[in-house]
């Protein structure tokens, strides 16, 4: 198996676990605020949901690496080797933050790291948009040789934005869930949690759509 095919396989695996894990997370979320379930049952559902959700979080952090590497190896983008190393470094830092936040429950560093992670993703989004749009509208030769790669980069940036939107919309959920675990379920708390879940659904649906679009672009337009 060539180096290119190894990265292609990794890229596909990350896509599969991102989409599949997102579906599992979405399904489990329905039981966290489901009326008639005890707080212990909801806590179990949340534990399952957060565990499954690590798949999509990890995949989002890593998927840019093999994608750009394939384009670099095939000549679809022309960037210096140090820039390719920088892409992998960004993925590694991103992954480290995802894991540290997940396994650092109760630690003092989690809150500031979560805020830094949020801003870090905004920077990644801005860079992706800049690189993609510059390559599409620049009057001088761009280092992106295939326009479909610019579209894939734009879609990836939008997916990251959707993830940030989910975080914002779920802010009321956390204190409501903690209150539910303390006092038990009631209609008021259920309404807050269900409202948060309902507000994130458009973002979740678009993530599914965007992943399929990017997969279709890669399948039909990339040179093997």
């Amino acid at each position: 198996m060539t180096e290119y095919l190894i990265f292609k396989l990794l890229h596909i695996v990350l896509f599969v676990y991102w989409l599949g894990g997102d579906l599992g997370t979405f399904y489990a979320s329905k039981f966290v605020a489901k009326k008639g379930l005890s707080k212990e049952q909801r806590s179990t559902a949340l534990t399952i949901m957060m565990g499954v959700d690590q798949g999509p979080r990890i995949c989002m952090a890593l998927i840019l690496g093999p994608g750009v590497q394939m384009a670099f190896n095939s000549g679809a983008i022309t960037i210096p080797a140090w820039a390719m190393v920088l892409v992998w470094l960004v993925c590694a830092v991103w992954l480290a933050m995802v894991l540290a936040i997940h396994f650092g429950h109760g630690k003092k560093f989690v809150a500031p790291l979560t805020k830094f992670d949020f801003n870090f993703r905004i920077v990644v989004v801005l860079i992706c948009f800049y690189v993609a749009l510059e390559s599409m509208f620049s009057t001088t030769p761009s280092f992106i040789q295939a326009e479909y790669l610019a579209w894939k980069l734009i879609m990836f940036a939008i997916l990251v934005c959707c993830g940030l939107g989910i975080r914002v919309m779920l802010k009321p959920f956390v204190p409501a869930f903690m209150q539910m675990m303390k006092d038990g379920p009631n209609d008021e708390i259920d309404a807050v949690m269900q409202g948060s879940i309902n507000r994130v659904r458009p973002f979740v649906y678009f993530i599914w759509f965007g992943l399929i679009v990017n997969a279709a672009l890669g399948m039909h337009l990339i040179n093997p």
Side-chain angles (χ1 to χ4, degrees):
M1 183 179 289
T2 66
E3 180 183 340
Y4 180 90
L5 290 178
I6 291 174
F7 286 117
K8 186 176 183 179
L9 175 61
L10 177 58
H11 200 54
I12 292 171
V13 169
L14 291 172
F15 158 73
V16 170
Y17 274 87
W18 186 347
L19 181 58
D22 224 40
L23 289 166
T25 301
F26 182 74
Y27 181 73
S29 70
K30 295 182 178 181
F31 296 93
V32 177
K34 186 175 182 180
K35 291 185 177 182
L37 296 183
S38 67
K39 63 181 183 181
E40 291 79 15
Q41 290 171 316
R42 297 186 189 197
S43 178
T44 300
L46 182 66
T47 300
I48 294 171
M49 184 185 79
M50 296 303 295
V52 174
D53 192 44
Q54 286 312 295
R57 291 174 183 267
I58 290 171
C59 293
M60 178 185 284
L62 292 179
I63 202 166
L64 199 62
V68 176
Q69 187 71 58
M70 282 191 294
F72 177 78
N73 289 359
S74 65
I77 61 171
T78 53
I79 57 175
W82 64 263
M84 190 64 249
V85 173
L86 183 60
V87 171
W88 281 108
L89 181 60
V90 167
C91 293
V93 171
W94 196 343
L95 174 63
M97 288 191 293
V98 168
L99 296 178
I101 291 170
H102 178 66
F103 292 107
H105 296 300
K107 302 293 177 62
K108 292 183 179 180
F109 68 82
V110 171
L113 183 60
T114 300
K115 184 177 180 179
F116 178 82
D117 174 79
F118 191 94
N119 294 327
F120 176 88
R121 295 179 190 225
I122 292 176
V123 173
V124 171
V125 166
L126 293 176
I127 292 174
C128 288
F129 274 128
Y130 172 79
V131 171
L133 294 175
E134 190 276 337
S135 70
M136 295 171 69
F137 297 106
S138 177
T139 56
T140 58
S142 172
F143 54 81
I144 296 182
Q145 307 300 314
E147 186 175 331
Y148 81 93
L149 288 175
W151 285 110
K152 282 175 68 70
L153 203 56
I154 288 173
M155 182 58 74
F156 174 75
I158 294 174
L159 297 185
V160 177
C161 287
C162 286
L164 296 177
I166 289 173
R167 282 198 195 184
V168 172
M169 294 301 172
L170 280 178
K171 279 187 176 181
F173 178 90
V174 177
F177 185 85
M178 293 176 65
Q179 189 67 34
M180 185 274 298
M181 290 300 298
K182 179 182 177 181
D183 301 332
N186 61 60
D187 291 342
E188 183 179 352
I189 292 177
D190 286 350
V192 173
M193 291 193 295
Q194 192 60 56
S196 294
I197 293 173
N198 290 340
R199 284 191 293 273
V200 306
R201 283 178 178 172
F203 295 103
V204 174
Y205 295 151
F206 192 88
I207 287 175
W208 300 348
F209 169 77
L211 285 171
I212 293 172
V213 167
N214 264 2
L217 287 172
M219 287 174 58
H220 295 292
L221 297 175
I222 198 165
N223 293 320

